Amino acid sequence: MKIAVIGAGIIGITTAYELACDGHEVTVLERRGAAAEESSFAHAGIVAPGYISPWAAPGMPAKFIQSLFSRHAAIKVRLPLSASELGWMWRWYRACKLETYLRNRAHLQKLAVYSQERLHHITADLKLEYERSDGYMVLLRSEKDSKGMQPGLTVLRDVGVDFKEIDADAARKIELALNPDTSFFGALSLPNDEVGNSRQFALMLKNEAQRLGVNFAFNTTVTQLSADRGVAVGIEGEPEALQFDAAVMCAGLDSARLLAPVGLKIPMAAVHGYSVSATIREPLNAPRSAVMDERYKVAISRLGNRVRVAGSAELGGSLDKKSAGALQTLYKVLHDWFPGAANLSNGVQEWKGARPMLPDGPPLVGSSGVAGLWLNLGHGSSGWTLSCGSARALADMIGGRKPDVDVSGLDVGRIRA
């Protein structure tokens, strides 16, 4: 089939690659001038099937209220909120019930495990070499932080995730550079999780997709869609729409705007995240792989010769206005755990990105219900973790095959309930 993939982030590129592997004629339409320029650009790089979890979870509404009065809170709200953002928050609140959380976490975990397997298969098959390292550790500052994790650990046990609850001394043996002056209760070690540079991977996979015949049209803004005898894609500045047999929506936040005219109301919100990237000043003071500060929800990862600190969940506000407080939290957490690791005097990259999040957590992967129009969107902060599995599963569905992973719970009917 002749298929359009709208969006060239990590989701769009993996989707285009898998469709090309199946023999389809694929064109990727991207409004930016290069691949992986938006949400995929500078996030933490964590691939964590063992720690993936919906943002909608029991206890989160209380944490949200507490965060309003905390300087270094993991969650922030920037007023005023739009009507759609308020509606999104109401749906998020309703999804925080334990039963809903456990169901959604199970869906995410299955897809994440499958996706990591697919990532490893692609990497080995194509001999891709990008910045990556194995292992991930969640640092617990207090016994209270440890107790708060226990419901999630039950899910990990149920799905067979390899993890260990360890004390501070054992954690320091895994990450030798942890600051000796920062005391903490313990950690959760996830040896099968990993960190990798998703933008590097995306650019390499783009080149492989091009070798398979995929056409990338950059600086190409999609203005509208219509589904009648295939899918017509309107392009800014072009008098006539482009005709395709099918189209896959992977356009992140812009997906909701493009899908509304064809009758699909996607409850998606921009939850902004921040990162700071800097070159390593002293390798012995830097992390070996990646850690997460559970209290502040800040990840510190090593990507080649750089350290990246990433975190915050900010609802509301604009992408072009950075919060000084959110950035200060990243610097604080870096100093707490790995002081002296990064060269912060020059060449520091401060980034803010918009995560396209659905209120209940899992993405939408599958048919839109409109003939010829498919969805692969709403992965939130887990796009890198879920990308390869989502793409392969969707390609199988488009090809009329049953995916090798259970995709129930990822269909568009979920958001209409």
Side-chain angles (χ1 to χ4, degrees), residues 297-347:
K297 300 294 185 183
V298 170
I300 306 171
S301 49
R302 184 170 187 157
L303 296 170
N305 67 345
R306 293 174 301 156
V307 171
R308 178 168 293 163
V309 194
S312 186
E314 182 181 281
L315 185 64
S318 61
L319 190 59
D320 58 356
K321 188 175 181 181
K322 295 185 179 75
S323 163
L327 290 169
Q328 286 169 6
T329 298
L330 301 187
Y331 286 113
K332 166 193 160 43
V333 173
L334 175 62
H335 180 74
D336 284 353
W337 297 111
F338 298 100
N343 184 357
L344 301 178
S345 59
N346 58 67

Side-chain angles (χ1 to χ4, degrees), residues 187-253:
L188 179 71
S189 174
L190 297 150
N192 293 330
D193 288 358
E194 61 192 275
V195 59
N197 189 324
S198 73
R199 186 163 188 264
Q200 276 188 357
F201 177 87
L203 295 175
M204 290 177 182
L205 197 63
K206 166 189 161 286
N207 293 337
E208 296 295 334
Q210 286 178 311
R211 291 189 183 98
L212 293 174
V214 175
N215 175 44
F216 284 84
F218 292 107
N219 298 306
T220 302
T221 300
V222 175
T223 56
Q224 62 182 10
L225 301 171
S226 62
D228 183 18
R229 296 180 182 178
V231 179
V233 181
I235 304 297
E236 185 176 84
E238 296 294 332
E240 294 185 5
L242 302 178
Q243 289 293 142
F244 296 91
D245 299 316
V248 183
M249 183 60 67
C250 308
L253 288 166

Side-chain angles (χ1 to χ4, degrees), residues 137-147 149-150 164-172 174 178 182-189 291-295 337:
M137 191 160 58
V138 182
L139 300 173
L140 306 169
R141 290 180 180 255
S142 68
E143 187 176 2
K144 181 180 178 181
D145 293 336
S146 178
K147 289 180 178 179
M149 291 191 67
Q150 295 309 310
K164 290 182 180 179
E165 294 181 84
I166 57 178
D167 61 21
D169 288 340
R172 293 187 189 280
I174 295 173
L178 284 171
T182 298
S183 61
F184 61 106
F185 178 77
L188 179 71
S189 174
V291 301
M292 164 72 79
D293 186 313
E294 174 66 13
R295 180 174 300 175
W337 297 111

